Each structure stands twice: as structure tokens, then as C-alpha cells.
């Protein structure tokens, strides 16, 4: 007797230490902790969102352990993902370099039906650090976002709460669009129902 | 699948009524003389003459520990512990029937809701009593539609009670005084049973090709399937009048409805409206019809019975697992335990039957072989439902076969997996043959739809049970088995001749998730990481054997991964091309030759280049690109960009190859050498800092000298490189054009902004350059002198820097700025340098400018130095007027310091006043207490004795008066509590000695 809810499943990926968990906590709880704690497996937080001013949905933000690549996360983790957020650290060139690999790994593991239209969002995190420590230029980031199919790119800081809200609003919009277009025809039809008469004799019965 | 044996038989006498107290494991028999006989494992206990009115029925509430006994006009409540009557509900109009219900939620027992429903004898009215958390809550009365309306069954759900009558189904929301009729009933379009769908497919295809020879060869299997649905409809259906509600768990309520011959599940819509939804199976009433009563057993099992026979069936599809004939006739059946049923016979005998599993029963096969592949579909499906149900129930733990039932669970789970996979493969084979046949005669859309849905369900089974990949690939997609045929000598009997194309959407949604999930597990095994598969509460650590089938030749984990990945690749090429790129770019085990061949054949150049790149076949990739470049016309710029992009990625790993193909490009496009070199080497990459810049510089220098300088500037300026060789090379290149003002500016900028260069070496280069100039006043030499100040500054030799700036270049402003910068970084060093600068100005021999400089110096730096020392140094002939600004500044500085101190003093005084006020408040605290007042710590009466003084203390925001000694103890306790948990104090050395 459960009711269907409009749930938007968002998965955050990126190298270890780029700030995935911090971004999630900043967005969901508006909190930030300086202390680094490795994520074990995967974990998710939820937040009610209003998209396009009128649609209410529950955003389920799935955080992952960047240390491990995808092998430890099962099909249940990826199934039904509506948006994938790729995070890199502007002070870590390798994490930027790996954004494309994370995207590819996600596509392969999540069995995305149409990779061309599946929404990704890139977050360039830790922009609060001083300029001299930044190794990934904005230009390179924009070029990469363009080469990956004009993926929206946001320069964020979970620490100073820069752009996090805007980024997740875009994520929610993309996820909602995806969830509306990705209805599963095979599963839906199984639950499609027709009316019957309870008191009447079943038509097939001859007794 | 189930067998039974009678384990006890007890003859009863003069029975009025019989019931079970399930949680106490007791059977209550009420005899006509009013005796209550309680049967337990330990024997019989009789309560004599407990009630002398005629008793019609009984019910039991675990939460209230109460036995409800129904008499003609009353309901009597007995305490189950001692069988004492403690209450009585009277209804003068008579009680026709009653039901005692408890919600089945997993709450604590004392939080349960108990509902007792009484049906009036004379008027069509219900009286409902409600207890919540063991406390009586309220009673409500509800009118039924007519006197002819009789209640067939009731059940409690989270929202209230569901009441099934002969007129309809109602929901009564807890506490409400109305019944809401549930009028909406729906049924799914499709059966959830694959064999039922196969039957539909068979009817729509084979119905039109009845004379087809092939269909005749299949007839054996078909007849067995057809039998499932061909019930004997001429027989009397005694279940017609039955309506039975039961709840497999607290949020599911199912109605077994004999009237409509359906099983219906209660559902609620988003708006909170209730409706009934038929279970997606239509088999149950076709094979079960001769019963008139039911008893839900748990999991998927339900007992159906009439006066002579008991059947144990699953409530979804109605497969029969046990049939017991009771010769004495059956009055009622109760569940005694998960593995025992109790039968109350017509001759008043209680017979207990134990139910056991016999796995060898019902092994109907299509051939004489004993393999699972020979089992017919009905047998397979029946066994699947059985193992599914048994794994869901607590039957296994009740069997008491071993202390640890996990082995049995694992064994049953593995059997279920095998059965499911074989079942799915058989259905797949038959459905595909039918579909193939149907395609020849022209299928309608509905038939294709059924076929696709079936295939999807089958793929979900493969995914859920992680079916062995080699078996599945070779069986379902023989056309995609080139890799298996070509590379692995597998003894494999699963290749089939029939295979039809499945839609791309079906492959994407159904088959690919199975492949990727299997791939993930096998990859984990290959990396020796733990990987698990779970079904219900069984979790298995997987090894390679889990993914092998029994008649498959032994393959290594790498081989299996190659088969999976190559198949995945082929599937992508065929059904989801845009996924080929991502797959070849991630760590994969695809067969190199197969992938190369297919990508070449399909002309998927981008993907092939990526594949080469990730397999470190760079020369192949570049040869391919250059070959295309050689033969393309209009596409040249695009391909050229691809070559450059590819080469850029190799700069870190294979510079020789980069130079080789860069030569090729420069040769092929001589007019574009600037762009090529710029794009290749002068654009930042994430790893640009780590490249061998010297080699790249030498290469560019050999091609374009002008660009080699730009490269040096790019490395030093944009990449912030501190490589000495590169830095010095840049310096030398600049020094070649020292007569150019813009080069001088660049030199200043580079030396000023760079922080990590080798200052000694730079200084040496600059000094060597200066040696080449004879004219001491030449502009170039002056420029060089200014530049040398940067490395000298970096070396910390400020005196030399000052000597150059003042002594040699006579530049007051630069000298002053330099001293000021030093002072800002280090006050002491700066003060010394400023004093030295002052000395130098004083001895400056330009009589005209000297007073000006002195005056300027005193204005700019006077305040940084000690005024007495400065005054002593100043020449006596210096006009007092020139010193006015110096004194003015000094005075201002001292006044500011004095003001600061005064301000500080006032602040501290204000703090002191505040602290005194607080102290006065504390000292003025008082407390009045009587003579009986006791110390809250020691409990002694509080007296103003000389032995111990009294103290006022605040603890947890409350103020107490206590003895001082007690206050100290409390203080010590608070301090101890505040210390970090378990933090042991480390003793000091002095304490140990």
C-alpha cells in the first residue's frame, strides 16, 4: 500500500578528497567540516527541492567513496540515477584529468540508455584557496566541459558555500528532466491495470 | 514437495468450542460442562466449571493476554495466565459472531492495537471495541446495509480493519463510525508468470499454425503447460461462497475471493483512496476450487480445506505442495507451528500433523534424463515458487535439522538459482522459437509486446541470480559468440540454431545491466577483492565457480572477463553505439583483435583511436590518423587537430614519438608550423609542469627559434617552473637583446615575479654579461645593474644591493623603496639598512642635493628609526626648518602611543568594575532553609556547626545548599565527568620517582 514519490537520484563521483561529501553536506545540511573522513562504500542524504518554481521532489544525493572505483558498488547503486555530478579539486590536476574517466565509468556501470542526453554536471571544487595553489585553469575546465557535450560547469567551494546552491539547483532541474524522460516501459506495463467487477462472475469461468 | 505425518491424536469429549493460544503454544478446549481443558507440550491442565453458559466461539489477544469467550448475549474476558474471568461485555440484543484482531506490526507487544468486532444477532449492526497500548480506547457502532449482509472475514491493516461481507469489501478506519466501501477493483494487464505469458504467446502464434510440424514436436511440453490452465470447470466449485482475508505482513492484506475467483490485494492511491488489485496470476482458482475454508500458514503458503481433504498451496499461483485426506472428516484446521498443523476432526479428535520437505517429490521431467534441463516448465515453476516461499518463511529454522540452518538456506538458495536460470532459459528458447515462427506469418503488435516483456523478465532473472555468463551469452545470443568460438575451446552445448533479433531498447534495459553487473563481480574476483551476492538473508562470497556452468570447460577469470567484455562491446556496437567510446576508454578486458576488427569494419575511428590509446598502441593510432590525413581532402584540419590532441597526451610518456609525428605534421603543413607548435607545446595541460621542458625547448628551437623563446616564457611565466636550466636559458635569451627596452621590462618582470630560481647562478650570468661593457655609463650596463638587485636581494645581501642602487646608480627613490621593502619584511634588518642608507646620504658628496635627500629620508623613514640616534648622526649645519616635519612626525607618533595606552587603561578599568560587580553579586547570595533541611549529598540535617561550613552550589542549573565537604566532593565529580571519556591521566615523572 505504498505511494509513489517523485524521487530524483543524484550520484556524486570524483577522486578521493575532492570534497564530494563536503559538497553534499553543504547543500543538504548547510554545514562544513574541515576534518577529512573517508567515505566507506556509499551513503545518501535526501532533501526536498522545488524545481522550476512549482514541482516538488525529493532529491536523493548518493555520495561515493572516491578511493575505490566502481567495482564495489552494485547495480542497485546506479539503477535509476537521474543525474551524475562529477567533482574535481582545482588544486589537484590529476582529479581534473580523471573527470572524463569517472564519466566513462559511470556510463558503463549505470547502463545509461542514451549517454548523449544523460545529464552530467561538473563541479570544480575548492575555489576558495589562494590563486597560487590552483593548478587547473578555468579555461581548461571550460574546454573540457565543452568537449564532454556542453556539460554545465560550476566553480564551487563547500567550505565557503560558494555556488553550491546554484549548482544543485541546476542538478535538480537536469535530474527532473531526466526522470520524466526515462520511464521504464517494460516495468510500467506490468503494473498497468484494467477495471474488473468484483461481484460479477469472471468472464472466463464456465462453472 | 511437502510430506506429512501424523504425530499425535487426542480424543476429545463433549467439546463446545476449540481455539489456539498461539503465542503460548496452548490449545484451549471448552467442554459442555464448562470445563476449560488446556493442552500444552507438557500435558493437560483442566480448569473445572469455569463458565456455565453455552459458549459459541472464542478468540485470543496476545497483547491483552486475554481469552475472549462468546456466549449468546455476552463476551467474557479471561486472563490467559490463570484463566480468571476479569471482565464481561454484555449485549442484550445478542451476539451473532465476533472477531478479535491484533495488528501484526513489529511494534513492542504493549504498543499493539487490539480490535474486537461484535456482530449483533437481531440488527445488522457492528460494535467495535478498540484497545491501544493495552488500554481500552473507545467503542463505536456501525450499521450494515441490511440484515442479509453477513461478514465472511475480517483483517486488521495499519489504517484500520478490512471487512469482507457477502455484499462487498469495506475498510473501517480505526476510530471511525462508518464503513467505506471499496468499489474499485483492477487487474494487471499482464501475468507475472512467464509460463502464463508463454501460453498467451503460444495461443496467438500456434493457434494460426496448428498444422506446423515443428509445433507438433513441441506438443509434449505444450500439453504440460496447457494442463496448468485447463481446469475441470464442470466440477462444483465449493469455494464460491468463500471470502478470506489474510495478511502476509503488516502492510499487505490479501482477499482470497471465491465469488470473483481472484486473489486481490488492498492498495491505496496517491490520494489515499483504497482499491483492490488482483494478483498478477490467474492460475490459483483454475486448479483449486474444491475447498470451503482456509488458514494462512505464513510466507506464501496457505491451507485450503473442506470436510475431508487438506491442501497446502502457495497463495499466488496455487501450486499444490501437500494433500492430506482426513478420514474422520475436518471441522477446522489451525496452524500449530510453522511446521505443524492441527486438525479438529468431525469426530472431535485433535490430530497434529508435522510437515516436512521432500525435495525428490514432483520431479516430472520431459525426458528420462535427470538433469534440471529436462524438467518440464510446470515442475520448474512449481519448485521455484516452493523454494522462494520456503526461503521467505521461518520454516527452515523450525525444521531443527541442524543447530545452524544457514547451510540449508544456502543449499535452497542455490537450488532456487539453478531452477530459475533453467526455467528462464527454457522459456526464452520456447518464446524465441514461437516469435520466430510468428514473424514468418506476421505478428501483431500485442504479440511482440508480450514477447518483449517476457524477454525483459528473463533478463531480470539473469541479473537477480547472476547467471553464468558464458552459458547465457552462448544460449541467448549465439550470433554474438564469435569470441567464444574463435578464442576459447569450450565444450558448450548451449549454442542454438534459432535466434531472433531483440529490440535495442530491450537489450539496453534488460541484457546490458546483467552483463555489466556480472562483469563487476568477475572483475572483483580477478582483483582478489571480496564480492557478494545476496538473496533474502543469504549472502554468498563469490568465487569463479559461481559463474561457471556444470558442462562448461574450465576458463580462467581473465578468459571469462574477456568473453563478457567483448560481448558487451559487441552489444554496444549493435545496440548502443554511443557507449562504445566509454567502454573502450575504461579498464576493460575486450579481445584486442576482435575489437580492432569490428571498429575498423564499422569505421568507428574515434573509438578505435581511444581503444589504441588505452591499450598503449600509440603508433598504431597515429599511423591510422596520419593515413587518414594523407587520403582526406576537406577533413584535413579536423584530422590534423586529432593528431595534435593525441600527441599532446603522449608528451608525458613518449616524447620521441611526439617529435616524430610532429616532424611529420611540420613537413606536411610547413605554412602552419606556428600553429602546430603553439597547439602542441604552448597550451597548458594538467601534467604540463612535469614535462621534460629542456628537450621540448631544444626541439622547438631547432624548428622555430622565435617560438622557442615563447616556449621558455610559457614555461616560466604560465607554468611557474623553477627549473634552473630553463630559467637561465630564458635569461640568456633575454640578455641577447638587452638593448631593447621591452626585453628589459620582461627581465624585470621575470626576476621580480619568480621566487624559486637559482639566484647565485643568475647573478653570475648577469655579472658575466656586465663584464662585456666598457662604458660604465652605458644604458645597457645601468639596466643590468638594476636587474642584478633582484638575485642579490634573494641572496639577502642588502648592503650590496644598496651599494648598487645608491652608491653606483645614485637612485634615491629605488634605494628608499628597497630599504622600505626590507623593513616591511624584517624590521631589524630594515632598521640597520636604513641607518646605513642614512650614513650614505650624509657622506654623499653632492652638496646641492644632499639636504633634499636628507629631508626626504627623514619624512619617509624618520618614524621607523630611533630619533636620538638619527639626530646624533645628522650634520650640525642642517637647517632646523628641514627637521620640522621629522619632529612633527615623531610627536604625532608618541601622542598616538600615549592615547593607545590611555584607552587600554580605561578598558581594563571597566573590566575590573564589571568583575567587582559580579563578585558582589555572588557574595550577596543567600538561602533560607528550615531546621529539617537536609544536605542533598550526604542526607544529614543542615546545621551551622563549627565542624563544617555550608556552601551554596549550582548543579544542573539548580542551586543547592550543602556542606562544604559535600560541595567539594560534588565539584570533584563534576570535574571527573567533564574529563574526556576513558582518558587516563599519564603520571608525571616526578610522581614516579
Amino acid at each position: 500500500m505504498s505511494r509513489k514519490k517523485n524521487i530524483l537520484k543524484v550520484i556524486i563521483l570524483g577522486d578521493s578528497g575532492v570534497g564530494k561529501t563536503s559538497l553534499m553536506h553543504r547543500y543538504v545540511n548547510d554545514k562544513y567540516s574541515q576534518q577529512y573522513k573517508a567515505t566507506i562504500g556509499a551513503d545518501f542524504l535526501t532533501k526536498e527541492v522545488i524545481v522550476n518554481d512549482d514541482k516538488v521532489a525529493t532529491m536523493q544525493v548518493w555520495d561515493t567513496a572516491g578511493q575505490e572505483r566502481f567495482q564495489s558498488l552494485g547495480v542497485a547503486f546506479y539503477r535509476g540515477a537521474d543525474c551524475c555530478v562529477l567533482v574535481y579539486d582545482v588544486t589537484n590536476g590529476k582529479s581534473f584529468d580523471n573527470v572524463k574517466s569517472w564519466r566513462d565509468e559511470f556510463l558503463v556501470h549505470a547502463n545509461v540508455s542514451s549517454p548523449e542526453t544523460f545529464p552530467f554536471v561538473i563541479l570544480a571544487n575548492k575555489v576558495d584557496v589562494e590563486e597560487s595553489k590552483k593548478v587547473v585553469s578555468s579555461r581548461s575546465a571550460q574546454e573540457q566541459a565543452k568537449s564532454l557535450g556542453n556539460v554545465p560547469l560550476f566553480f564551487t567551494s563547500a567550505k565557503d558555500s560558494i555556488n553550491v546552491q546554484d549548482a544543485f539547483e541546476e542538478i535538480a532541474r537536469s535530474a527532473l528532466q531526466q526522470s520524466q524522460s526515462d520511464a521504464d516501459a517494460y516495468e510500467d506495463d506490468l503494473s498497468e491495470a484494467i477495471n474488473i467487477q468484483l461481484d460479477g462472475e469472471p468472464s472466463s469461468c464456465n462453472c | 514437495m511437502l510430506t506429512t505425518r501424523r504425530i499425535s491424536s487426542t480424543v476429545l469429549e463433549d467439546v463446545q468450542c476449540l481455539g489456539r493460544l498461539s503465542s503460548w503454544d496452548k490449545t484451549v478446549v471448552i467442554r459442555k460442562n464448562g470445563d476449560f481443558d488446556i493442552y500444552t507440550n507438557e500435558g493437560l491442565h483442566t480448569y473445572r466449571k469455569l463458565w456455565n453458559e453455552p459458549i459459541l466461539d472464542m478468540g485470543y489477544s496476545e497483547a491483552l493476554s486475554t481469552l475472549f469467550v462468546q456466549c449468546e448475549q455476552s463476551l467474557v474476558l479471561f486472563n490467559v495466565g490463570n484463566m480468571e474471568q476479569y471482565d464481561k461485555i454484555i449485549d442484550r440484543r445478542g451476539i451473532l459472531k465476533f472477531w478479535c484482531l491484533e495488528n501484526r506490526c513489529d511494534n513492542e507487544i504493549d504498543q499493539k492495537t487490539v480490535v474486537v468486532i461484535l456482530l449483533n444477532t437481531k440488527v445488522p449492526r457492528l460494535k467495535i471495541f478498540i484497545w491501544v497500548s493495552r488500554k481500552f480506547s473507545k467503542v463505536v457502532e456501525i450499521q450494515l446495509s441490511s440484515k442479509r449482509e453477513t461478514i465472511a472475514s475480517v483483517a486488521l491493516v495499519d489504517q484500520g480493519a478490512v471487512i469482507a461481507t457477502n455484499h462487498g469489501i469495506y475498510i473501517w478506519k480505526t476510530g471511525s463510525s462508518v464503513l467505506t466501501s471499496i468499489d474499485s477493483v483492477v487487474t494487471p494487464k499482464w501475468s507475472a508468470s512467464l509460463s502464463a505469458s508463454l501460453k498467451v504467446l503460444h495461443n496467438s502464434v500456434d493457434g494460426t499454425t496448428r498444422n506446423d510440424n515443428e509445433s507438433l514436436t513441441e506438443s509434449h511440453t505444450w500439453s504440460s503447460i496447457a494442463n496448468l490452465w485447463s481446469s475441470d470447470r464442470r466440477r462444483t466449485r465449493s469455494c464460491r461462497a468463500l471470502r478470506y482475508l489474510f495478511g502476509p505482513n503488516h502492510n499487505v492484506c490479501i482477499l482470497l475471493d471465491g465469488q470473483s475467483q481472484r486473489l486481490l490485494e488492498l492498495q491505496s492511491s496517491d490520494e489515499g483512496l483504497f482499491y483492490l488489485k488482483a494478483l498478477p496470476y490467474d492460475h490459483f482458482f483454475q486448479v483449486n476450487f474444491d475447498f470451503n475454508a482456509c488458514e494462512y500458514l505464513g510466507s506464501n503458503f496457505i491451507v485450503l480445506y473442506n470436510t475431508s481433504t487438506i491442501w497446502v498451496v502457495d497463495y499466488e499461483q496455487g501450486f499444490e505442495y501437500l494433500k492430506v485426506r482426513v478420514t474422520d472428516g475436518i471441522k477446522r484446521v489451525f496452524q500449530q507451528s510453522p511446521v505443524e498443523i492441527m486438525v479438529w476432526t468431525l469426530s472431535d479428535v485433535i490430530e497434529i500433523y508435522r510437515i516436512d520437505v521432500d525435495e525428490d517429490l514432483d520431479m516430472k521431467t520431459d525426458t528420462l534424463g535427470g538433469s534440471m534441463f529436462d524438467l518440464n516448465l510446470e515442475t520448474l515453476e512449481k519448485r521455484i515458487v516452493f523454494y522462494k516461499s520456503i526461503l521467505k518463511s521461518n520454516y527452515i529454522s523450525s525444521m531443527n535439522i541442524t543447530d545452524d540452518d544457514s547451510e540449508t538456506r544456502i543449499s535452497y538458495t542455490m537450488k532456487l538459482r539453478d531452477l530459475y536460470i533453467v526455467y528462464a532459459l527454457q522459456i526464452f528458447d520456447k518464446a524465441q522459437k514461437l516469435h520466430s515462427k510468428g514473424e514468418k506469418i506476421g505478428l501483431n503488435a500485442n504479440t511482440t509486446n508480450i514477447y518483449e516483456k517476457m524477454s525483459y523478465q528473463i533478463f531480470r532473472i539473469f541479473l537477480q541470480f547472476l547467471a553464468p555468463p558464458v552459458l547465457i551469452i552462448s544460449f541467448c545470443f549465439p550470433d554474438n559468440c564469435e569470441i567464444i568460438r574463435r578464442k576459447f575451446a569450450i565444450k558448450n552445448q548451449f549454442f542454438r540454431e534459432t535466434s531472433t533479433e531483440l529490440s535495442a531498447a530491450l537489450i539496453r534495459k534488460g541484457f546490458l545491466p546483467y552483463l555489466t553487473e556480472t562483469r563487476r563481480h568477475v572483475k572483483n574476483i580477478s582483483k582478489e577483492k571480496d564480492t557478494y551476492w545476496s538473496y533474502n538473508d543469504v549472502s554468498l562470497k563469490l568465487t569463479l565457480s559461481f559463474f561457471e556452468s556444470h558442462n562448461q570447460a574450465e576458463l580462467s577469470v581473465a578468459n571469462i572477463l574477456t568473453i563478457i567484455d567483448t560481448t558487451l562491446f559487441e552489444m554496444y556496437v549493435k545496440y548502443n553505439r554511443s557507449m562504445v567510446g566509454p567502454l573502450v576508454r575504461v579498464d576493460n578486458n575486450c579481445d584486442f583483435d576482435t575489437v580492432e576488427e569490428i571498429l575498423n569494419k564499422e569505421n568507428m575511428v574515434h573509438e578505435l583511436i581511444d581503444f589504441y590509446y588505452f591499450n598503449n598502441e600509440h603508433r598504431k593510432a597515429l599511423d591510422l590518423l596520419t593515413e587518414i590525413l594523407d587520403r582526406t581532402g576537406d577533413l584535413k584540419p579536423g584530422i590534423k587537430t586529432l593528431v595534435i590532441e593525441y600527441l599532446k597526451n603522449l608528451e608525458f610518456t613518449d616524447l620521441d614519438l611526439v617529435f616524430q609525428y610532429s616532424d611529420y605534421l611540420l613537413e606536411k603543413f610547413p605554412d602552419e608550423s606556428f600553429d602546430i607548435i603553439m597547439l602542441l607545446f604552448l597550451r597548458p595541460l594538467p601534467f604540463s609542469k612535469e614535462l621534460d621542458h629542456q628537450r621540448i625547448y631544444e626541439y622547438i628551437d631547432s624548428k622555430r627559434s622565435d617560438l622557442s623563446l615563447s616556449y621558455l616564457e610559457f614555461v616560466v611565466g604560465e607554468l611557474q617552473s623553477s627549473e634552473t636550466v630553463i630559467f637561465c636559458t630564458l635569461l640568456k635569451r633575454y640578455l641577447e637583446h638587452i638593448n631593447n627596452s621591452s626585453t628589459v621590462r620582461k627581465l624585470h618582470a621575470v626576476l621580480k615575479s619568480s621566487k624559486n630560481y637559482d639566484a647565485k647562478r643568475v647573478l653570475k650570468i648577469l655579472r658575466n654579461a656586465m663584464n662585456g661593457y666598457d662604458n660604465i655609463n652605458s644604458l645597457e650596463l645601468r639596466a643590468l645593474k638594476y636587474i642584478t638587485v633582484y638575485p642579490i636581494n634573494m641572496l639577502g645581501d642588502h648592503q650590496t644591493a644598496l651599494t648598487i642602487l645608491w652608491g653606483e646608480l645614485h637612485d634615491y627613490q629605488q634605494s628608499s623603496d628597497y630599504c622600505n621593502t626590507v623593513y616591511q619584511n624584517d624590521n631589524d634588518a630594515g632598521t640597520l639598512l636604513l641607518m646605513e642608507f642614512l650614513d650614505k646620504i650624509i657622506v654623499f658628496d653632492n652638496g646641492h642635493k644632499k639636504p633634499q635627500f636628507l629631508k626626504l629620508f627623514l619624512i619617509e623613514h624618520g618614524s621607523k628609526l630611533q630619533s636620538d640616534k638619527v639626530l646624533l648622526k645628522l650634520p650640525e649645519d642642517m637647517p632646523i626648518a628641514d627637521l620640522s616635519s621629522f619632529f612633527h612626525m615623531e610627536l604625532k607618533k608618541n601622542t598616538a602611543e600615549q592615547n593607545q595606552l590611555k584607552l587600554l587603561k580605561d578598558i581594563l578599568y571597566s573590566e575590573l568594575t564589571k568583575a567587582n560587580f559580579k563578585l558582589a553579586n555572588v557574595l550577596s547570595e543567600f538561602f533560607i532553609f528550615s531546621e529539617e533541611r537536609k544536605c542533598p549529598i550526604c542526607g544529614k540535617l543542615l546545621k551551622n556547626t563549627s565542624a563544617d561550613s555550608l556552601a551554596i552550589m549550582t548543579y544542573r542549573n539548580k542551586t543547592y545548599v550543602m556542606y562544604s565537604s559535600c560541595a567539594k566532593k560534588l565539584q570533584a565529580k563534576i570535574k571527573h565527568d567533564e574529563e574526556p571519556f576513558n582518558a587516563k591521566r599519564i603520571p608525571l615523572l616526578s610522581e614516579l620517582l
Side-chain angles (χ1 to χ4, degrees), chain B residues 480-536:
Chain B
N480 287 72
C481 287
E482 206 48 41
I483 176 68
I484 299 176
R485 287 201 180 96
R486 231 197 284 177
K487 297 255 169 171
F488 305 102
I490 292 179
K491 186 186 84 174
N492 203 318
Q493 62 178 40
F494 303 114
F495 290 116
R496 296 175 308 122
E497 286 170 10
T498 314
S499 102
T500 56
E501 283 288 310
L502 292 167
S503 73
L506 181 62
I507 296 288
R508 285 202 291 254
K509 292 271 180 189
F511 187 59
L512 294 179
Y514 157 73
L515 269 188
T516 47
E517 182 65 355
T518 314
R519 172 180 192 269
R520 183 179 77 81
H521 285 290
V522 180
K523 219 165 178 55
N524 276 337
I525 294 170
S526 76
K527 289 181 177 172
E528 294 177 353
K529 283 186 194 165
D530 291 351
T531 192
Y532 296 89
W533 172 71
S534 302
Y535 182 83
N536 280 357

Side-chain angles (χ1 to χ4, degrees), chain B residues 391-423:
Chain B
L391 283 164
K392 234 167 55 174
S393 70
N394 52 358
Y395 183 86
I396 294 173
S397 50
S398 311
M399 285 197 298
N400 296 326
I401 298 171
T402 53
D403 291 341
D404 180 12
D405 61 36
S406 59
E407 266 185 37
T408 316
R409 278 186 190 282
I410 291 170
S411 155
Y412 283 4
T413 306
M414 292 309 287
K415 275 180 190 164
L416 177 67
R417 177 178 182 254
D418 290 350
L419 287 163
Y420 244 131
I421 293 167
V422 172
Y423 172 72

Side-chain angles (χ1 to χ4, degrees), chain A:
Chain A
M1 282 181 286
S2 59
R3 294 183 192 182
K4 266 192 179 177
K5 281 189 179 168
N6 202 1
I7 292 177
L8 306 176
K9 187 170 176 181
V10 173
I11 289 173
I12 307 187
L13 301 172
D15 280 8
S16 173
V18 296
K20 299 183 290 296
T21 308
S22 298
L23 280 164
M24 184 174 79
H25 280 282
R26 170 58 76 188
Y27 173 62
V28 177
N29 306 320
D30 199 18
K31 278 182 187 162
Y32 175 80
S33 164
Q34 190 79 46
Q35 210 177 2
Y36 173 75
K37 241 169 78 182
T39 309
I40 310 292
D43 193 8
F44 75 84
L45 292 177
T46 56
K47 183 166 174 152
E48 294 286 319
V49 288
I50 300 171
V51 192
N52 300 335
D53 295 333
D54 60 343
K55 292 187 183 82
V56 183
T58 304
M59 196 199 274
Q60 216 175 58
V61 189
W62 286 74
D63 184 19
T64 51
Q67 302 93 329
E68 290 250 345
R69 287 250 164 164
F70 286 72
Q71 309 306 339
S72 61
L73 303 167
V75 68
F77 176 75
Y78 308 104
R79 190 185 293 155
D82 297 307
C83 182
C84 178
V85 182
L86 305 166
V87 187
Y88 74 88
D89 170 1
V90 293
T91 67
N92 178 347
K94 189 79 188 148
S95 74
F96 172 71
D97 208 22
N98 282 340
V99 162
K100 200 177 173 190
S101 315
W102 282 111
R103 179 179 174 272
D104 288 335
E105 293 266 14
F106 172 80
L107 288 171
V108 171
H109 282 83
N111 286 299
V112 172
S113 307
S114 68
E116 305 89 345
T117 56
F118 187 87
F120 287 91
V121 173
I122 299 176
L123 304 187
N125 197 30
K126 304 192 188 177
V127 293
D128 55 278
V129 297
E130 56 188 81
E131 284 303 316
S132 62
K133 286 187 180 165
K134 293 181 187 172
V135 295
V136 184
S137 69
S138 308
R139 204 178 83 187
S140 321
Q142 278 154 357
E143 274 176 17
Q144 190 184 56
K146 198 178 162 194
S147 75
L148 294 178
N150 285 326
V151 175
L153 166 72
F154 290 86
F155 294 92
T156 61
S157 161
K159 188 179 171 192
D160 291 353
S161 191
I162 300 168
N163 248 345
V164 179
Q165 196 64 31
D166 290 349
F168 274 91
E169 276 171 18
E170 171 64 29
I171 291 162
R173 268 194 299 276
S174 312
L176 185 71
Q177 209 174 350
Q178 171 69 12
S179 79
Q180 286 167 345
S181 66
D182 198 34
D184 197 328
Y186 300 106
E187 283 183 0
D188 275 4
D189 273 7
L190 275 176
S191 62
E192 197 179 320
I194 53 168
N195 285 320
I196 57 165
Q197 284 294 316
L198 190 63
D199 293 334
E201 293 281 309
S203 57
S204 59
C205 183
N206 302 321
C207 58

